[in-house]
Amino acid sequence: MNLKHETGSGSASVRPIAQRGFTLIEIMVVIIILGILAMYVAPKLMGRPDEAKQVRAKMDIAALETALKLYKLDSGIYPGTEQGLLALVQKPETGMVPKKWRQGGYLEKGKVPKDPWGNDYVYLAPGLKGDFDIISYGADGVPGGENENKDINNWDTE
């Protein structure tokens, strides 16, 4: 135990220096509070798989948009609808064949991703809403729908 001598009014007194830190009780109270919070928060986060899939689809679409823009920088054009997104991983042999195509393709994994529900992304070029359209038809795989069946596309993503 650390002791400190104090002098002042003529008498010397000895008192312990205050120990800094948390007591076992304080730590246990914090752990209990965190446990209670986790019981309420975790089920709410875990109960959102449909929302997580929609977020992933938006991220995939953004990555495909970037790859398409790189394709256009190299070749001067976007791949046509008949060439599809496959033109990002294999040099097209039909339609407008690009003179300059990046060896290895434009997608990191060397394959076109499927949407989170296992369906192919729909690609249109020229698109109805821009130079190209990329669409996921959601969980049901058909145009239209609400909630988990809602369509996700490149012109509505932020």
Side-chain angles (χ1 to χ4, degrees):
M1 182 157 89
N2 295 329
L3 301 176
K4 183 176 180 181
H5 294 287
E6 289 186 1
T7 57
S9 61
S11 65
S13 64
V14 178
R15 72 177 174 97
I17 295 177
Q19 297 291 324
R20 300 202 186 263
F22 298 105
T23 66
L24 181 60
I25 298 292
E26 291 170 329
I27 292 172
M28 293 301 292
V29 168
V30 169
I31 290 172
I32 290 170
I33 291 171
L34 290 175
I36 291 169
L37 286 173
M39 284 186 342
Y40 289 105
V41 173
K44 290 181 182 185
L45 293 177
M46 300 303 286
R48 298 176 129 178
D50 294 326
E51 188 175 321
K53 286 181 178 183
Q54 291 175 344
V55 169
R56 187 179 138 221
K58 289 176 184 179
M59 289 174 22
D60 284 351
I61 288 172
L64 290 169
E65 281 184 302
T66 300
L68 286 164
K69 289 174 183 176
L70 290 172
Y71 181 99
K72 184 178 180 183
L73 279 174
D74 285 349
S75 64
I77 56 170
Y78 289 113
T81 300
E82 68 281 353
Q83 294 166 324
L85 296 172
L86 195 58
L88 298 173
V89 293
Q90 295 176 2
K91 185 174 181 179
E93 297 176 3
T94 61
M96 298 273 300
V97 178
K99 296 177 182 137
K100 191 176 170 188
W101 189 84
R102 181 185 297 177
Q103 185 65 30
Y106 296 87
L107 295 173
E108 283 185 29
K109 295 183 180 178
K111 65 178 186 174
V112 178
K114 293 206 177 273
D115 75 8
W117 299 276
N119 303 313
D120 291 327
Y121 286 100
V122 176
Y123 173 73
L124 302 171
L128 302 173
K129 302 283 185 172
D131 292 331
F132 58 85
D133 294 346
I134 305 171
I135 308 163
S136 167
Y137 288 132
D140 62 358
V142 296
E146 295 179 13
N147 301 323
E148 70 272 1
N149 298 326
K150 180 182 175 186
D151 296 350
I152 301 163
N153 48 59
N154 65 310
W155 63 87
D156 281 340
T157 58
E158 297 171 6

